Amino acid sequence: MVKIVTYAFCIGLLLLIISCNKSSPDKRREAFDVSLINENSELQLSGEYEALIRLNINYLKKAVRMNYPEGKALCYLNIAGVNVSAGNYEKAQFFFNKAEKNLEHSENYYHQATFYNDYSLYFSHLKSYDKAIDCNNKAFEYAIKAKDSDLKNKLIPRLYVNRGIYFAWKGWRGTSLKSFIKGNELENSAYTNSMVAQYYLFNQEPEAAGVYVAKADNLMLSQKTSDVESLWVYYTMGYYYNEVNNNEKAEQALKKALEINIKTRRTYSSHINGVYKALAELYKKKNDGGRAYYYLKKYMEEENRLDVARLSTMNKATENFISEIKKESDWHKNDLPLFIALSIAVLTILGGYLRKVITVMKVNKSTLKMETEELKTHVYTRQLEEVIELARKNDSSFLLKFKELYPDFVSELLKINPDLENSELSFCAMLKLRFSSKEIADYTFVQHRSVQQKKYRIRKRLTIPADVDIYDFFENIKS
């Protein structure tokens, strides 16, 4: 009897040891994931791009020592994600390929869900929304199968938010809003609230957006919000305040977004083009043509940069596609026509995309030129109105403001006669503005005859021929 009990105890102890040994690697791997994700987020928060890369390289070595391919994949995904945010799409694809290879035989559903979520964001940046939605669906499939954990609970709300973004770009507004609301219910963060606000702003419902903007602002101050998400929250606030004509708050929020962009050394530069566009619109409303043009130009430059990056990625994908076909084909006669047909198809698609990009760039350039001219005209009209009003009031600052409007006019007159006095220059400025003799007399409180005499003296001082109309003379002076 004692032998049987002893034997049973030994078997039980052996099974316990085996069980512990089996669960121990799982716990180490889970600890690896949690530690890597938290440290990676910390470096995102601080904008330390180089440190983030070094961190993932160190964890990559650790994953190799642990014989943990899913851990390697997570490192590759982190590096790919930063490259996507910076618009380095070609490099991002390289790391996605590495991650996918490491997850090829994985049964860890959380890692598979993370891969497809990150990959969907990549396709979203490339504006391939159908592929983004397809990856998002796969991410949901794996996330549902994954075991419950804090990591899973953090991932699922983002899957809903990302789905809302893709659906919005496809024009599926109802399902888009449901996805945003669901994601916000699950997470209720500054970021998720700002994304709901973005939806309402996109659909021109600023009153509904205002509720979520206020929540996002409060949560950003009370929660630990990463820089990239804070940038997005500030952009949303600027967008909202712009819509409700609160120029001061709009400017403050958008400038904060720019500060974060500089702080993170433009690691998230692909998010900043919307900020540039919003600032251009803001300064246009404030009649600040110079700054409006500056930010409009920055917006167009950023859009063109990303278009070039997308095109480069498309080229690389095409080269890889053709290369793979070459490897797989034995170059038999029957294979050659297929290769040629596939190559033509790919080149046709690429050519169509290239034409589309070139067309967009031309339209952008044309739009920039039109908006620039519109801004110049708008600003000039407002300045001209101000100068005319000062002349009518006989304001002492009239000549100073006139010089701002026509910076070369006075210097050109002084080239003809350096001895002209300020009173004579002011009189010439009024003639440049085509005020009649009666109007000049009324505004300067002198007799009509005195204005006529001044005209005669100005003709002599500037040697204006008798047969030249004095108004035409000043109209032709370089200004």
Side-chain angles (χ1 to χ4, degrees):
M1 183 69 180
V2 174
K3 287 183 178 180
I4 294 172
V5 172
T6 305
Y7 181 70
F9 175 77
C10 290
I11 291 174
L13 185 61
L14 181 63
L15 289 173
L16 180 64
I17 292 169
I18 292 170
S19 175
C20 288
N21 286 337
K22 187 177 179 182
S23 62
S24 182
D26 289 340
K27 288 182 178 179
R28 285 202 303 271
R29 289 177 175 186
E30 187 175 340
F32 176 99
D33 291 348
V34 172
S35 177
L36 172 58
I37 290 169
N38 288 339
E39 288 184 53
N40 194 76
S41 297
E42 285 291 327
L43 291 174
Q44 280 187 327
L45 183 66
S46 63
E48 291 293 332
Y49 176 74
E50 293 87 351
L52 187 147
I53 299 297
R54 286 197 301 273
L55 170 80
N56 282 280
I57 290 172
N58 290 334
Y59 269 89
L60 189 62
K61 293 175 181 176
K62 187 177 179 181
V64 172
R65 291 195 299 271
M66 292 171 60
N67 190 25
Y68 184 27
E70 289 90 346
K72 290 167 64 179
L74 197 57
C75 295
Y76 290 133
L77 287 176
N78 287 338
I79 299 172
V82 173
N83 278 284
V84 169
S85 296
N88 297 325
Y89 303 124
E90 193 172 317
K91 288 182 181 177
Q93 181 63 70
F94 171 81
F95 289 108
F96 278 124
N97 290 342
K98 299 282 282 184
E100 187 174 26
K101 190 173 180 180
N102 278 277
L103 292 172
E104 193 173 1
H105 304 294
S106 174
E107 294 181 2
N108 188 313
Y109 296 132
Y110 168 77
H111 288 84
Q112 295 281 15
T114 301
F115 170 78
Y116 281 108
N117 177 51
D118 290 355
Y119 212 18
S120 74
L121 290 168
Y122 167 77
F123 283 119
S124 173
H125 277 253
L126 293 178
K127 300 185 178 179
S128 298
Y129 298 113
D130 287 331
K131 287 185 177 180
I133 291 169
D134 184 48
C135 287
N136 181 262
N137 288 336
K138 288 180 180 177
F140 263 110
E141 288 174 17
Y142 283 113
I144 290 167
K145 293 188 217 177
K147 67 177 184 179
D148 289 335
S149 67
D150 289 339
L151 294 177
K152 174 182 174 178
N153 294 337
K154 288 178 181 178
L155 177 62
I156 288 178
R158 296 307 174 99
L159 293 180
Y160 277 110
V161 170
N162 292 338
R163 175 172 282 187
I165 295 169
Y166 312 147
F167 284 176
W169 282 114
K170 291 288 289 183
W172 304 340
R173 295 185 179 180
T175 48
S176 172
L177 179 59
K178 287 177 183 176
S179 298
F180 281 130
I181 294 293
K182 182 66 175 177
N184 191 43
E185 285 175 354
L186 292 171
E187 183 172 304
N188 191 30
S189 66
Y191 175 71
T192 57
N193 275 279
S194 72
M195 293 311 296
V196 180
Q198 280 279 332
Y199 170 86
Y200 284 119
L201 289 168
F202 185 72
N203 289 289
Q204 298 180 333
E205 298 179 55
E207 188 174 337
V211 176
Y212 291 96
V213 167
K215 288 180 181 178
D217 190 14
N218 290 332
L219 288 169
M220 184 171 58
L221 297 174
S222 61
Q223 295 178 341
K224 192 175 184 181
T225 307
S226 69
D227 278 327
V228 62
E229 292 178 0
S230 294
L231 189 156
W232 198 245
V233 173
Y234 279 119
Y235 164 64
T236 305
M237 291 168 63
Y239 183 4
Y240 166 72
Y241 287 122
N242 216 345
E243 288 293 306
V244 297
N245 295 316
N246 190 330
N247 294 344
E248 186 179 344
K249 283 192 174 182
E251 186 174 15
Q252 288 173 358
L254 293 170
K255 286 294 181 67
K256 284 290 292 182
L258 285 183
E259 285 175 17
I260 293 172
N261 189 47
I262 294 167
K263 174 189 171 185
T264 58
R265 286 174 285 179
R266 297 174 176 79
T267 303
Y268 306 108
S269 59
S270 63
H271 298 284
I272 208 67
N273 55 341
V275 179
Y276 288 141
K277 189 175 182 182
L279 280 166
E281 291 170 356
L282 171 66
Y283 287 121
K284 182 179 176 181
K285 283 166 62 176
K286 294 178 73 174
N287 301 315
D288 189 336
R291 283 196 281 187
Y293 172 68
Y294 171 79
Y295 285 112
L296 184 63
K297 186 179 178 184
K298 294 286 285 183
Y299 164 70
M300 301 304 293
E301 286 173 352
E302 192 63 24
E303 278 289 286
N304 288 339
R305 183 186 73 81
L306 293 174
D307 280 338
V308 169
R310 292 182 189 111
L311 182 59
S312 174
T313 304
M314 190 77 164
N315 278 327
K316 189 68 176 177
T318 305
E319 289 169 12
N320 291 340
F321 175 75
I322 294 172
S323 177
E324 285 300 315
I325 293 175
K326 283 181 179 178
K327 288 177 184 177
E328 292 173 9
S329 172
D330 292 327
W331 290 97
H332 293 164
K333 288 183 179 179
N334 292 337
D335 295 328
L336 188 58
L338 175 62
F339 172 73
I340 293 170
L342 287 171
S343 298
I344 290 171
V346 172
L347 291 172
T348 301
I349 293 168
L350 179 61
Y353 181 78
L354 180 60
R355 284 194 297 275
K356 183 179 177 182
V357 170
I358 292 171
T359 301
V360 168
M361 290 176 75
K362 284 182 178 178
V363 169
N364 286 345
K365 188 175 180 181
S366 175
T367 302
L368 176 61
K369 187 176 179 182
M370 287 172 59
E371 293 213 15
T372 302
E373 291 303 317
E374 183 185 336
L375 282 169
K376 285 180 179 177
T377 302
H378 182 68
V379 172
Y380 172 80
T381 302
R382 290 298 300 268
Q383 286 181 317
L384 181 60
E385 289 173 356
E386 183 184 359
V387 167
I388 289 172
E389 187 61 27
L390 290 172
R392 286 172 177 163
K393 293 178 178 178
N394 198 28
D395 194 295
S396 59
S397 63
F398 162 67
L399 184 60
L400 182 65
K401 290 291 183 181
F402 179 88
K403 287 179 181 178
E404 291 178 7
L405 185 61
Y406 300 108
D408 298 324
F409 181 78
V410 170
S411 60
E412 289 296 316
L413 292 183
L414 292 174
K415 285 179 185 178
I416 301 171
N417 188 341
D419 298 326
L420 289 173
E421 298 176 0
N422 273 349
S423 59
E424 292 173 314
L425 292 171
S426 293
F427 184 74
C428 292
M430 297 185 85
L431 294 175
K432 169 73 174 177
L433 297 173
R434 288 193 172 272
F435 286 130
S436 66
S437 296
K438 183 179 184 307
E439 287 174 324
I440 295 172
D442 290 343
Y443 302 151
T444 56
F445 308 107
V446 298
Q447 296 293 322
H448 182 271
R449 186 190 309 164
S450 298
V451 176
Q452 293 297 102
Q453 289 172 350
K454 280 188 178 182
K455 280 186 178 181
Y456 177 74
R457 282 198 301 273
I458 286 296
R459 277 185 175 275
K460 289 185 68 177
R461 300 269 281 167
L462 296 173
T463 62
I464 303 172
D467 59 341
V468 174
D469 183 85
I470 196 166
Y471 290 104
D472 290 343
F473 174 82
F474 287 115
E475 184 65 34
N476 293 325
I477 291 287
K478 181 183 175 183
S479 56

